[in-house]
Amino acid sequence: MLCPKCHKVVVPGGRFCGSCGTDLTGKPVVGGKVHALLTVTVGRSKECDVIFSDQSVSRKHCSVEMLSDGTFFLRDLQSKNGTFVDNVQIKQKHITTSSRIRLGNVNIAGADIISRIEIKCPVVTTKRASDNTLFYIMGVIAAAALLIFFVHSSKNVLTVPNHPSVSVSPQQSSSVDWMRDVEKSTVIIVGILPDGKYTCGSGFFVNGRTVITNRHVIRNAHVINLGNRIIGSYTARIIAISQELSMDFAALDVGKDVAVPLPLTTSIKRNDKVYAWGYPGILVGMIQWNGLPEVVSTSGEINVIRNGVTSILVHSAKISPGSSGGPLVNVKGYVIGINTFMLGDENGRYYVSYTSKDIINFLKTNEIKYNVQ
């Protein structure tokens, strides 16, 4: 596909030309018109989603959009010192994980800025939030999930089993055993925002009372509920949250031991088979009114292991909005990562998880108990 203005090749389905910035949304594209699913603002202002204190960065310097075709788009917001991609000043441009971005005097990798795009269920109110049918359905789904949490929390419908101490690792002698353990440990998380809207995601127990998830799943929530069909539902409080731009972790405490924790392992190799567990928002609607939604598992393999300030796993086990914060486990049921976001271009989609190494560092820093295999 060629840009109608500069006639250079553009990403199929892309929203703008990466060379001249021409808006392509009114043109025929693969799979229909492309729109922004989520926008993150970057700058010095406390109102921004990603904040830099460096004075060379404008208060609202730029924005990053996640488009419906799986690509990412960077837009300069009339910044004083300019936005640069691969040493070229831009007004708007598609970016990838390999892009080198400079905002004033601040350098940041494309992978790090993309990782701040929040992969989560759309936030909704009890009224129709959008004319887009899919978002409306997702809104109803999120509201239904929250209602179920309230019903179960108030009526104590489910019985909490008497699990072993958090210091004891589960013995996972067969695939059936470890799958049951992962199912017991993986929870759906619903956060209530101050304005009455909701967010949702996934998480998993690292000890009998502590759940780890992505920071973006619970950010700004003033009430947090979590649970699953086995342990029931609980109100949780935030006990730790990552402060680094490149990290995306939060720890939640339910007040007492209620679950069998999942052990972590740092033994990871390329091409290892993996399973991503969580509660994709679109499937949360497949609920039964006598219980919480079922956890979903997808399988794939490790494609890339990137070690650095932030260590990430790129894999083919599908994750989607609502899966953020769920565990990525190996064939023994040991956690090797936490599901966080996805990447995509004309060649396909890939899914990204922070590694267990970074999870362990986060837990150590905050003196939270965990098990390692």
Side-chain angles (χ1 to χ4, degrees), residues 169-185:
S169 294
Q171 297 299 315
Q172 298 170 311
S173 58
S174 70
S175 60
V176 174
D177 289 338
W178 73 252
M179 286 184 179
R180 286 174 179 166
D181 286 339
V182 178
E183 184 177 5
K184 292 175 184 177
S185 176

PDB file of all heavy atoms in Angstrom, residues 169-185:
ATOM      1  N   SER A 169       5.900 -25.644  48.904  1.00  0.00           N
ATOM      2  CA  SER A 169       5.618 -25.635  47.474  1.00  0.00           C
ATOM      3  C   SER A 169       4.711 -26.800  47.127  1.00  0.00           C
ATOM      4  O   SER A 169       4.874 -27.901  47.644  1.00  0.00           O
ATOM      5  CB  SER A 169       6.915 -25.754  46.656  1.00  0.00           C
ATOM      6  OG  SER A 169       7.699 -24.618  46.845  1.00  0.00           O
ATOM      7  N   PRO A 170       3.736 -26.617  46.206  1.00  0.00           N
ATOM      8  CA  PRO A 170       2.888 -27.727  45.795  1.00  0.00           C
ATOM      9  C   PRO A 170       3.686 -28.765  45.029  1.00  0.00           C
ATOM     10  O   PRO A 170       4.565 -28.434  44.242  1.00  0.00           O
ATOM     11  CB  PRO A 170       1.851 -27.043  44.889  1.00  0.00           C
ATOM     12  CG  PRO A 170       2.516 -25.803  44.405  1.00  0.00           C
ATOM     13  CD  PRO A 170       3.415 -25.370  45.516  1.00  0.00           C
ATOM     14  N   GLN A 171       3.414 -30.013  45.243  1.00  0.00           N
ATOM     15  CA  GLN A 171       4.065 -31.085  44.509  1.00  0.00           C
ATOM     16  C   GLN A 171       3.293 -31.321  43.219  1.00  0.00           C
ATOM     17  O   GLN A 171       2.141 -31.735  43.233  1.00  0.00           O
ATOM     18  CB  GLN A 171       4.096 -32.372  45.350  1.00  0.00           C
ATOM     19  CG  GLN A 171       4.913 -32.232  46.618  1.00  0.00           C
ATOM     20  CD  GLN A 171       6.361 -31.904  46.327  1.00  0.00           C
ATOM     21  OE1 GLN A 171       6.976 -32.507  45.457  1.00  0.00           O
ATOM     22  NE2 GLN A 171       6.892 -30.929  47.048  1.00  0.00           N
ATOM     23  N   GLN A 172       3.921 -31.022  42.079  1.00  0.00           N
ATOM     24  CA  GLN A 172       3.239 -31.079  40.809  1.00  0.00           C
ATOM     25  C   GLN A 172       3.697 -32.327  40.054  1.00  0.00           C
ATOM     26  O   GLN A 172       4.569 -32.282  39.201  1.00  0.00           O
ATOM     27  CB  GLN A 172       3.505 -29.803  40.022  1.00  0.00           C
ATOM     28  CG  GLN A 172       2.959 -28.597  40.782  1.00  0.00           C
ATOM     29  CD  GLN A 172       3.388 -27.286  40.175  1.00  0.00           C
ATOM     30  OE1 GLN A 172       4.554 -27.085  39.889  1.00  0.00           O
ATOM     31  NE2 GLN A 172       2.437 -26.399  39.974  1.00  0.00           N
ATOM     32  N   SER A 173       3.097 -33.460  40.378  1.00  0.00           N
ATOM     33  CA  SER A 173       3.557 -34.752  39.862  1.00  0.00           C
ATOM     34  C   SER A 173       3.013 -35.069  38.492  1.00  0.00           C
ATOM     35  O   SER A 173       3.505 -35.969  37.823  1.00  0.00           O
ATOM     36  CB  SER A 173       3.157 -35.865  40.844  1.00  0.00           C
ATOM     37  OG  SER A 173       1.753 -35.875  41.035  1.00  0.00           O
ATOM     38  N   SER A 174       1.974 -34.373  38.043  1.00  0.00           N
ATOM     39  CA  SER A 174       1.423 -34.629  36.729  1.00  0.00           C
ATOM     40  C   SER A 174       0.874 -33.348  36.158  1.00  0.00           C
ATOM     41  O   SER A 174       0.690 -32.355  36.858  1.00  0.00           O
ATOM     42  CB  SER A 174       0.299 -35.665  36.813  1.00  0.00           C
ATOM     43  OG  SER A 174      -0.832 -35.105  37.460  1.00  0.00           O
ATOM     44  N   SER A 175       0.619 -33.355  34.817  1.00  0.00           N
ATOM     45  CA  SER A 175       0.099 -32.154  34.172  1.00  0.00           C
ATOM     46  C   SER A 175      -1.260 -31.773  34.740  1.00  0.00           C
ATOM     47  O   SER A 175      -1.583 -30.595  34.874  1.00  0.00           O
ATOM     48  CB  SER A 175      -0.002 -32.377  32.664  1.00  0.00           C
ATOM     49  OG  SER A 175      -0.876 -33.451  32.365  1.00  0.00           O
ATOM     50  N   VAL A 176      -2.079 -32.779  35.103  1.00  0.00           N
ATOM     51  CA  VAL A 176      -3.393 -32.494  35.675  1.00  0.00           C
ATOM     52  C   VAL A 176      -3.239 -31.791  37.007  1.00  0.00           C
ATOM     53  O   VAL A 176      -3.934 -30.816  37.307  1.00  0.00           O
ATOM     54  CB  VAL A 176      -4.213 -33.792  35.845  1.00  0.00           C
ATOM     55  CG1 VAL A 176      -5.514 -33.499  36.578  1.00  0.00           C
ATOM     56  CG2 VAL A 176      -4.505 -34.426  34.489  1.00  0.00           C
ATOM     57  N   ASP A 177      -2.293 -32.251  37.842  1.00  0.00           N
ATOM     58  CA  ASP A 177      -2.079 -31.643  39.154  1.00  0.00           C
ATOM     59  C   ASP A 177      -1.668 -30.184  39.026  1.00  0.00           C
ATOM     60  O   ASP A 177      -2.211 -29.315  39.714  1.00  0.00           O
ATOM     61  CB  ASP A 177      -1.000 -32.420  39.928  1.00  0.00           C
ATOM     62  CG  ASP A 177      -1.497 -33.785  40.379  1.00  0.00           C
ATOM     63  OD1 ASP A 177      -2.724 -33.960  40.467  1.00  0.00           O
ATOM     64  OD2 ASP A 177      -0.654 -34.662  40.630  1.00  0.00           O
ATOM     65  N   TRP A 178      -0.664 -29.892  38.163  1.00  0.00           N
ATOM     66  CA  TRP A 178      -0.184 -28.513  38.104  1.00  0.00           C
ATOM     67  C   TRP A 178      -1.214 -27.595  37.461  1.00  0.00           C
ATOM     68  O   TRP A 178      -1.325 -26.417  37.818  1.00  0.00           O
ATOM     69  CB  TRP A 178       1.177 -28.403  37.446  1.00  0.00           C
ATOM     70  CG  TRP A 178       1.315 -28.584  35.963  1.00  0.00           C
ATOM     71  CD1 TRP A 178       1.866 -29.647  35.315  1.00  0.00           C
ATOM     72  CD2 TRP A 178       0.948 -27.647  34.935  1.00  0.00           C
ATOM     73  NE1 TRP A 178       1.855 -29.445  33.962  1.00  0.00           N
ATOM     74  CE2 TRP A 178       1.306 -28.223  33.703  1.00  0.00           C
ATOM     75  CE3 TRP A 178       0.369 -26.380  34.934  1.00  0.00           C
ATOM     76  CZ2 TRP A 178       1.087 -27.585  32.474  1.00  0.00           C
ATOM     77  CZ3 TRP A 178       0.140 -25.741  33.715  1.00  0.00           C
ATOM     78  CH2 TRP A 178       0.506 -26.342  32.501  1.00  0.00           C
ATOM     79  N   MET A 179      -1.992 -28.119  36.524  1.00  0.00           N
ATOM     80  CA  MET A 179      -3.041 -27.288  35.930  1.00  0.00           C
ATOM     81  C   MET A 179      -4.097 -26.907  36.963  1.00  0.00           C
ATOM     82  O   MET A 179      -4.597 -25.777  36.977  1.00  0.00           O
ATOM     83  CB  MET A 179      -3.685 -28.009  34.751  1.00  0.00           C
ATOM     84  CG  MET A 179      -2.810 -28.043  33.514  1.00  0.00           C
ATOM     85  SD  MET A 179      -3.640 -28.801  32.104  1.00  0.00           S
ATOM     86  CE  MET A 179      -2.353 -28.647  30.861  1.00  0.00           C
ATOM     87  N   ARG A 180      -4.408 -27.848  37.853  1.00  0.00           N
ATOM     88  CA  ARG A 180      -5.356 -27.537  38.925  1.00  0.00           C
ATOM     89  C   ARG A 180      -4.785 -26.476  39.850  1.00  0.00           C
ATOM     90  O   ARG A 180      -5.503 -25.578  40.316  1.00  0.00           O
ATOM     91  CB  ARG A 180      -5.687 -28.812  39.707  1.00  0.00           C
ATOM     92  CG  ARG A 180      -6.607 -29.760  38.950  1.00  0.00           C
ATOM     93  CD  ARG A 180      -6.787 -31.057  39.707  1.00  0.00           C
ATOM     94  NE  ARG A 180      -7.684 -31.985  39.010  1.00  0.00           N
ATOM     95  CZ  ARG A 180      -7.805 -33.271  39.312  1.00  0.00           C
ATOM     96  NH1 ARG A 180      -7.095 -33.785  40.302  1.00  0.00           N
ATOM     97  NH2 ARG A 180      -8.638 -34.031  38.624  1.00  0.00           N
ATOM     98  N   ASP A 181      -3.482 -26.583  40.146  1.00  0.00           N
ATOM     99  CA  ASP A 181      -2.847 -25.602  41.019  1.00  0.00           C
ATOM    100  C   ASP A 181      -2.870 -24.206  40.386  1.00  0.00           C
ATOM    101  O   ASP A 181      -3.124 -23.212  41.072  1.00  0.00           O
ATOM    102  CB  ASP A 181      -1.408 -26.007  41.329  1.00  0.00           C
ATOM    103  CG  ASP A 181      -1.329 -27.166  42.308  1.00  0.00           C
ATOM    104  OD1 ASP A 181      -2.317 -27.383  43.039  1.00  0.00           O
ATOM    105  OD2 ASP A 181      -0.301 -27.856  42.332  1.00  0.00           O
ATOM    106  N   VAL A 182      -2.584 -24.137  39.070  1.00  0.00           N
ATOM    107  CA  VAL A 182      -2.593 -22.838  38.391  1.00  0.00           C
ATOM    108  C   VAL A 182      -4.007 -22.267  38.373  1.00  0.00           C
ATOM    109  O   VAL A 182      -4.212 -21.065  38.574  1.00  0.00           O
ATOM    110  CB  VAL A 182      -2.036 -22.962  36.957  1.00  0.00           C
ATOM    111  CG1 VAL A 182      -2.107 -21.603  36.252  1.00  0.00           C
ATOM    112  CG2 VAL A 182      -0.591 -23.448  36.968  1.00  0.00           C
ATOM    113  N   GLU A 183      -4.993 -23.122  38.156  1.00  0.00           N
ATOM    114  CA  GLU A 183      -6.385 -22.682  38.153  1.00  0.00           C
ATOM    115  C   GLU A 183      -6.788 -22.120  39.520  1.00  0.00           C
ATOM    116  O   GLU A 183      -7.482 -21.108  39.624  1.00  0.00           O
ATOM    117  CB  GLU A 183      -7.310 -23.831  37.768  1.00  0.00           C
ATOM    118  CG  GLU A 183      -8.774 -23.424  37.649  1.00  0.00           C
ATOM    119  CD  GLU A 183      -9.667 -24.561  37.187  1.00  0.00           C
ATOM    120  OE1 GLU A 183      -9.152 -25.697  37.053  1.00  0.00           O
ATOM    121  OE2 GLU A 183     -10.863 -24.320  36.968  1.00  0.00           O
ATOM    122  N   LYS A 184      -6.310 -22.776  40.607  1.00  0.00           N
ATOM    123  CA  LYS A 184      -6.611 -22.302  41.959  1.00  0.00           C
ATOM    124  C   LYS A 184      -5.957 -20.956  42.246  1.00  0.00           C
ATOM    125  O   LYS A 184      -6.497 -20.133  42.984  1.00  0.00           O
ATOM    126  CB  LYS A 184      -6.121 -23.317  42.995  1.00  0.00           C
ATOM    127  CG  LYS A 184      -6.864 -24.639  43.010  1.00  0.00           C
ATOM    128  CD  LYS A 184      -6.209 -25.592  43.995  1.00  0.00           C
ATOM    129  CE  LYS A 184      -6.862 -26.968  43.988  1.00  0.00           C
ATOM    130  NZ  LYS A 184      -6.158 -27.907  44.896  1.00  0.00           N
ATOM    131  N   SER A 185      -4.780 -20.757  41.669  1.00  0.00           N
ATOM    132  CA  SER A 185      -3.988 -19.579  42.015  1.00  0.00           C
ATOM    133  C   SER A 185      -4.290 -18.354  41.161  1.00  0.00           C
ATOM    134  O   SER A 185      -4.089 -17.220  41.597  1.00  0.00           O
ATOM    135  CB  SER A 185      -2.492 -19.910  41.890  1.00  0.00           C
ATOM    136  OG  SER A 185      -1.702 -18.783  42.130  1.00  0.00           O
TER     137      SER A 185
END
